[in-house]
């Protein structure tokens, strides 16, 4: 309403459209697992006014995405995931799922063995598991023999280099392995006579 100096009035009426924001939401095909954990995300964002036409993901692992569905991989840790959805009318809404994804660390397998070096004349080798948080073990001695004993004893029947692998499973079900070469060597016995007979017969004539 406008009023002039002469007290004359006029009225102009205009309508303003106020559009609702889109409602941002999303789902993931898995929420936790062993690293590297690959997760696929799907936007379920909706908009009453216009359609959702733009998506901006922040996965919390340093990577982003710009499509309605996106896949990324997480290393060990817990991650917040955010999505900004934009409607065809330019309205935006943001949703963040706190601590949505948890990737568990792999176990770090290790072992030792004795004796060292391993001799073909003493081929019995004792293996000791040094892994933290392992609940299951699988040994492959590189000679077609395997065992699931935690600290096994094994006999190598020939000289050579054997790739011994230890695979472990953690309490969370994560699997990892390590391989070490075990060399089985020849052993030579030197004979020294404890007497000599210098009588010229060619046997023990000198020491």
């Amino acid at each position: 309403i406008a009023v002039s100096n002469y007290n004359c009035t006029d009225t102009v009426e205009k309508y303003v459209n106020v559009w609702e924001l889109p409602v941002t939401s999303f789902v993931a095909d898995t929420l936790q697992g062993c690293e590297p954990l690959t997760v696929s995300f799907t936007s379920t964002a909706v908009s009453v006014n216009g359609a959702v036409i733009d998506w901006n993901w922040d996965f919390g692992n340093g990577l982003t995405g710009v499509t309605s569905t996106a896949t990324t991989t997480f290393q060990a840790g817990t991650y917040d995931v955010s999505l900004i959805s934009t409607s065809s009318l330019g309205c935006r809404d943001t949703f963040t799922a706190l601590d949505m994804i948890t990737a568990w660390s792999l176990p770090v397998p290790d072992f030792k063995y004795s004796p060292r070096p391993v001799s073909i004349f003493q081929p019995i080798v004792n293996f000791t598991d040094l892994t933290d948080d392992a609940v299951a073990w699988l040994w492959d001695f590189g000679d077609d023999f395997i065992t699931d004993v935690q600290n096994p004893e094994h006999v190598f029947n020939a000289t050579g280099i054997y790739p011994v692998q230890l695979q472990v499973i953690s309490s969370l079900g994560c699997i990892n392995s390590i391989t070490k070469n075990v060399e089985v060597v020849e052993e030579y016995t030197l004979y020294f006579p404890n007497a000599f007979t210098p009588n010229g017969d060619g046997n023990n004539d000198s020491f």
Side-chain angles (χ1 to χ4, degrees):
I1 300 174
V3 181
S4 72
N5 293 335
Y6 299 102
N7 206 31
C8 298
T9 63
D10 190 19
T11 301
V12 175
E13 184 177 277
K14 292 187 176 181
Y15 293 94
V16 176
N17 291 320
V18 179
W19 299 309
E20 291 187 28
L21 297 177
V23 178
T24 302
S25 59
F26 54 86
V27 294
D29 65 346
T30 187
L31 300 179
Q32 59 188 18
C34 303
E35 64 169 332
L37 177 64
T38 298
V39 181
S40 294
F41 296 89
T42 301
S43 169
T44 53
V46 295
S47 178
V48 174
N49 301 120
V52 177
I53 60 169
D54 191 44
W55 305 265
N56 286 277
W57 299 89
D58 184 345
F59 300 112
N61 61 353
L63 300 176
T64 58
V66 293
T67 56
S68 61
T69 60
T71 300
T72 189
T73 299
F74 299 91
Q75 302 304 315
T78 300
Y79 299 86
D80 303 336
V81 179
S82 297
L83 174 62
I84 302 172
S85 58
T86 305
S87 74
S88 55
L89 299 174
C91 300
R92 291 186 174 185
D93 182 50
T94 302
F95 174 71
T96 299
L98 300 177
D99 299 334
M100 183 179 190
I101 303 297
T102 299
W104 301 318
S105 298
L106 297 181
V108 181
D110 194 15
F111 67 88
K112 65 180 181 179
Y113 63 91
S114 64
R116 301 184 72 166
V118 181
S119 164
I120 191 59
F121 292 104
Q122 294 180 333
I124 301 175
V125 181
N126 294 295
F127 292 89
T128 303
D129 168 50
L130 301 176
T131 310
D132 292 329
D133 190 35
V135 296
W137 304 263
L138 181 62
W139 296 84
D140 184 337
F141 299 108
D143 58 359
D144 298 326
F145 285 92
I146 61 174
T147 183
D148 59 1
V149 175
Q150 180 181 5
N151 299 305
E153 181 182 271
H154 184 66
V155 177
F156 293 97
N157 293 317
T159 60
I161 297 176
Y162 296 87
V164 177
Q165 181 185 79
L166 170 61
Q167 183 182 90
V168 297
I169 303 177
S170 73
S171 58
L172 293 173
C174 299
I175 300 174
N176 203 2
S177 64
I178 187 174
T179 300
K180 295 182 180 182
N181 288 331
V182 175
E183 184 175 11
V184 180
V185 299
E186 293 277 7
E187 184 173 283
Y188 299 96
T189 301
L190 297 179
Y191 171 73
F192 293 95
N194 57 12
F196 68 99
T197 56
N199 55 10
D201 64 357
N203 293 321
N204 300 329
D205 285 336
S206 60
F207 185 74

